[in-house]
Structure formats: C-alpha cells, structure tokens
Amino acid sequence: MEIRVGIKLLLALWLLISTVCGGYSYRPMAGMRWQKKKDSSGLRRSLLNNGLGLTPPMGWSSWNHFACNIDEKVIRETADALVSTGLDKLGYQYVNIDDCWAEPQRDDQGNFAAKNSTFPSGIKALADYVHSKGLKLGIYSDAGYYTCSKKMPGSLGHEEQDAKTFAAWGIDYLKYDNCNHDGTRPTVRYPIMTRAIMNAGRPIYFNLCEWGDLHPALWGGKLGNSWRNTNDITDTWESMISRADQNEVYADYARPGGWNDPDMLEVGNGGMTKDEYIVHFSIWAISKAPLIIGCDVRSVSKDTMEILTNKEVIAVDQDELGVQGKKVRMEGDLEIWAGPLSGYRVAVVLLNRGPQKSEITANWDDIGIPPNSVAEARDLWEHKTLETRFVGNLTATVNSHACKMYVLKPIA
C-alpha cells in the first residue's frame, strides 16, 4: 500500500497541470470527484476530430496470445469466431493485427508490403473479408524507423504515405507504438501521424501506444482516441493489477472520444485463476478501458466465455456517461473502486488484493451517494438484484484475489 500511495502522491503533481490539458477536475471529496470542469479557453480542441471512440473500443488483438506467430488464416478464423460465438453482438467489433504483418523492407514505391509468406492475399483482401462479417480491421505501426519486433518498418518519415495506404486498404483502427525512433519526444512524432490520419480520407481509430513514458494522458486527448499509460501487460496477477494501478491515477483525463488504456485483456490465456480474471475484467470495465480480447477466441473455455460475455459488466464499460471510475478508498489490501453511471447510478468494485478472505465496506460518502439514501444493489457477477435495501453503506465478504461488482441505484 505504501508504494501505491507513493506513486499516487508523485503523480498528483502532474494532475495539478490539468488546466493546461483540460479534462475533469480532481477534488478531495468523493461526491465531487467526477464533476466536469468547464473549459472556456478552447484548450480541449483536438487535432483528431474523427467522431470515433464515443465509448471504449471492443474487439480482439493478436499480440497477447500469438505475438509474431500470425497469418491471414488466424485473422480470418478469428473474425469467424467472433461472429459464431456471438461476441460481435456484444460489441466486440475490432479485429486487430499487431506487429510482424509486413515485409522487412518497403516496396519500390516506399509503401508497406504485407508479408507474402503469411499474408499472401494482402491486407486489402483481408479487410474486405473482415468487413463482410460486419466487423472492423485494425493494424499496427510504430512512430519509429522499425517496430518493436524489428521485423518490419515503422512509419517515422512515412506518416502521410502510410496513413493513405491504411485508408486505401480499409483499415479502421491503428495501434501506433513507440520503439526504435530518432530520439525526439513522442509529443513531436505522434501529432504527425494524427494529421496524416485526418488527411487520409477515412475515419481511423487512433491508439497511441506510448507506454506512459511521457504521461500521454496529459496530452493524448488532442491526438488520439486512446493512449497506453503502461508497459505491456503479461498474463499474471502482479502484472495485471499493477497496470490497473498505473492507469487509475489518470482517471480524470478519460472522456468520450479519448480513453486511458491499461493494455489488452489477458482473460483466457491461462496464467491467472478465474477469480483473478474476473477482477481483471471488472477493473477494466469500471476504468472505461478498451476491452480488447487477447486470447485465442477460436477455442475458448466456458469460464472464459462467461467472463467475456457478461453483458452487465460490459454495460458499465460502455455506459454513455463516459466517466472513468477510480479508487475511492484503500485500506491495506482492500480497495473500493467507484464511478458514476448514467441514470444517477454508481458502479462499485470491492477488491481484495490480499491473501485472505475479508469483509469490505463501501460507504456512501466515499462513492458519491448522498449519505442517508436508500440504494438498490445489483450484483453483476451473480446477475441478481439483492433483496436487502442498503442505507449508508454496503458490506460484502470477498475472497482472496477476487472482487464483488455492483451497480447501486438510489431509490429513496
């Protein structure tokens, strides 16, 4: 807890400059934490006015499970699986190709060339196939000379050309990494691609994968639809929970059209327990994070599908109010996360990071409900409305490395 609090105190200094970048005001009282700050200065104006990302994106990416071991067959079969499982109907729309899809060298005209051994039909044909399924295709590049794998070129110096290529292929989403560059700051390199995308003639969701090095939440809202605040996630409890911590300190900067990104989902890859994956999905949802599946959806277990298809948890992530939840109280390994939803409701996660089962109490004054209100509680993982009506607080017993998630609605 001391480390987590120390991180928050250090980064509080960055939050003080929020008036420069715009966003949500941070106030010490829970009931006021999510009030929007008026911005009459026009500083919120964005280079990227593409109308995308009004709710966090949902879809699938190749990296967490496949890394560089991808080909067009995997991508086509993944698109098929998103449809056959019904995941597409829940909002999982993007099929995102990550690193290693291109030849090591550009063609004679300086254009990207799809790797012939793995994508022989080309990216345009693949986009057409994905679109025929009612889905959208994403792709990957880098604000450097080479991507992070060093197996294909980056887009530094080719931004306009590459953006037009992506648009011509029918690309809908671009993840833009931060490896192997010229030493200039990302605040210099990323706006070039933003402008190129805006000039390309096709709306493309723009994900800034800057890893949090230069606090992209402070400036990413003008350049992209989401921004990575963390290094790459791995399929472990420690990695997942630390990414949640790192992302949470920037909650005030999230908004419709621009989201904090703690990285893709590891649910279903096998490195965590079911309870830990439920924590993963719950925290990403209350954090209004992109829900980008990272497992092989062609062969998923019943437990994995139960998590990924929880409509009530997805609805928290996709709520139209678009305000990111945050930690409102920490007591050792026990945490309360909360955030407002449309319809005067509040989403709450009671999280037990510790080794033993414990009781956790959420008090109304911590989570933004008037103190004497009577509230109805909907348990999002049990899919039931609790018979008890709660006044002033809600208490639940939570297992180790597990959580409870509720939507609370004041009724009196």
Side-chain angles (χ1 to χ4, degrees):
M1 174 180 175
E2 291 177 357
I3 293 173
R4 298 198 297 274
V5 172
I7 291 172
K8 294 193 76 169
L9 288 175
L10 284 172
L11 290 174
L13 293 173
W14 284 99
L15 295 176
L16 291 176
I17 66 171
S18 61
T19 52
V20 175
C21 295
Y24 293 92
S25 61
Y26 185 88
R27 303 183 186 277
M29 295 183 64
M32 302 179 68
R33 285 182 181 175
W34 303 293
Q35 292 182 359
K36 284 190 177 182
K37 176 174 60 184
K38 292 181 180 179
D39 181 6
S40 59
S41 65
L43 291 174
R44 288 292 293 182
R45 291 188 191 128
S46 173
L47 290 175
L48 188 73
N49 294 309
N50 59 11
L52 302 177
L54 297 182
T55 59
M58 297 176 62
W60 173 90
S61 170
S62 60
W63 185 256
N64 283 3
H65 187 85
F66 294 96
C68 281
N69 300 313
I70 54 169
D71 56 34
E72 62 182 42
K73 180 175 182 287
V74 168
I75 304 304
R76 287 173 182 262
E77 289 178 353
T78 295
D80 294 342
L82 288 174
V83 174
S84 65
T85 58
L87 286 165
D88 63 324
K89 297 296 190 296
L90 298 176
Y92 295 100
Q93 291 292 306
Y94 289 102
V95 180
N96 293 344
I97 309 168
D98 210 281
D99 203 349
C100 310
W101 59 268
E103 293 286 359
Q105 303 296 327
R106 292 173 177 269
D107 67 17
D108 293 341
Q109 287 75 47
N111 294 314
F112 273 127
K115 193 172 181 180
N116 188 57
S117 62
T118 51
F119 292 89
S121 302
I123 303 301
K124 175 65 168 65
L126 194 55
D128 290 344
Y129 183 84
V130 170
H131 292 156
S132 75
K133 298 291 180 177
L135 302 170
K136 300 176 181 179
L137 187 69
I139 210 160
Y140 167 97
S141 189
D142 187 285
Y145 298 117
Y146 294 94
T147 62
C148 295
S149 70
K150 295 186 179 179
K151 294 184 177 181
M152 59 172 276
S155 290
L156 186 61
H158 292 266
E159 292 88 352
E160 287 283 342
Q161 183 176 16
D162 291 349
K164 289 177 181 176
T165 296
F166 296 150
W169 285 344
I171 294 299
D172 303 293
Y173 183 117
L174 173 62
K175 175 183 172 182
Y176 202 50
D177 224 328
N178 192 34
C179 289
N180 303 309
H181 51 75
D182 59 1
T184 57
R185 294 160 75 88
T187 48
V188 172
R189 288 175 286 114
Y190 277 80
I192 300 172
M193 182 55 86
T194 301
R195 293 187 184 95
I197 288 172
M198 291 305 295
N199 292 331
R202 178 181 180 84
I204 297 175
Y205 183 102
F206 192 27
N207 173 241
L208 316 178
C209 187
E210 191 264 8
W211 324 316
D213 283 3
L214 200 64
H215 304 281
L218 305 182
W219 47 269
K222 298 179 182 178
L223 305 180
N225 298 112
S226 55
W227 43 88
R228 271 275 296 282
N229 289 323
T230 72
N231 284 320
D232 286 4
I233 194 172
T234 59
D235 189 20
T236 67
W237 168 262
E238 292 77 15
S239 175
M240 179 275 292
I241 209 72
S242 67
R243 271 55 180 176
D245 291 340
Q246 294 162 20
N247 190 67
E248 186 267 345
V249 299
Y250 300 108
D252 293 329
Y253 294 94
R255 50 154 174 80
W259 307 103
N260 290 307
D261 180 6
D263 206 0
M264 298 166 287
L265 294 166
E266 290 282 6
V267 177
N269 279 328
M272 289 182 260
T273 67
K274 181 181 180 181
D275 280 349
E276 289 172 340
Y277 281 138
I278 286 173
V279 169
H280 184 8
F281 201 69
S282 300
I283 294 297
W284 261 236
I286 202 169
S287 299
K288 300 295 185 291
L291 297 181
I292 305 297
I293 298 169
C295 68
D296 187 351
V297 296
R298 300 172 304 172
S299 56
V300 289
S301 69
K302 181 180 178 181
D303 284 348
T304 296
M305 283 298 292
E306 180 185 328
I307 295 169
L308 295 176
T309 61
N310 188 322
K311 295 179 181 180
E312 296 187 77
V313 176
I314 291 171
V316 171
D317 181 78
Q318 297 290 299
D319 185 74
E320 63 184 1
L321 192 62
V323 178
Q324 181 174 330
K326 60 179 71 172
K327 300 180 193 182
V328 296
R329 184 174 290 275
M330 296 181 291
E331 297 178 359
D333 290 319
L334 309 181
E335 296 179 352
I336 297 101
W337 295 58
L341 301 173
S342 58
Y344 303 101
R345 299 168 300 143
V346 176
V348 177
V349 172
L350 307 181
L351 172 61
N352 182 359
R353 300 166 67 132
Q356 298 177 337
K357 180 186 297 187
S358 297
E359 277 194 351
I360 304 177
T361 298
N363 294 306
W364 282 188
D365 56 354
D366 285 329
I367 64 177
I369 294 177
N372 296 319
S373 298
V374 179
E376 177 182 87
R378 176 74 177 177
D379 186 320
L380 303 191
W381 287 104
E382 295 294 332
H383 301 293
K384 65 180 181 182
T385 300
L386 304 186
E387 293 182 6
T388 303
R389 297 298 180 259
F390 298 89
V391 181
N393 62 66
L394 178 151
T395 298
T397 300
V398 184
N399 291 329
S400 169
H401 285 202
C403 72
K404 295 284 189 179
M405 188 172 190
Y406 304 98
V407 168
L408 301 178
K409 182 176 182 180
I411 55 176

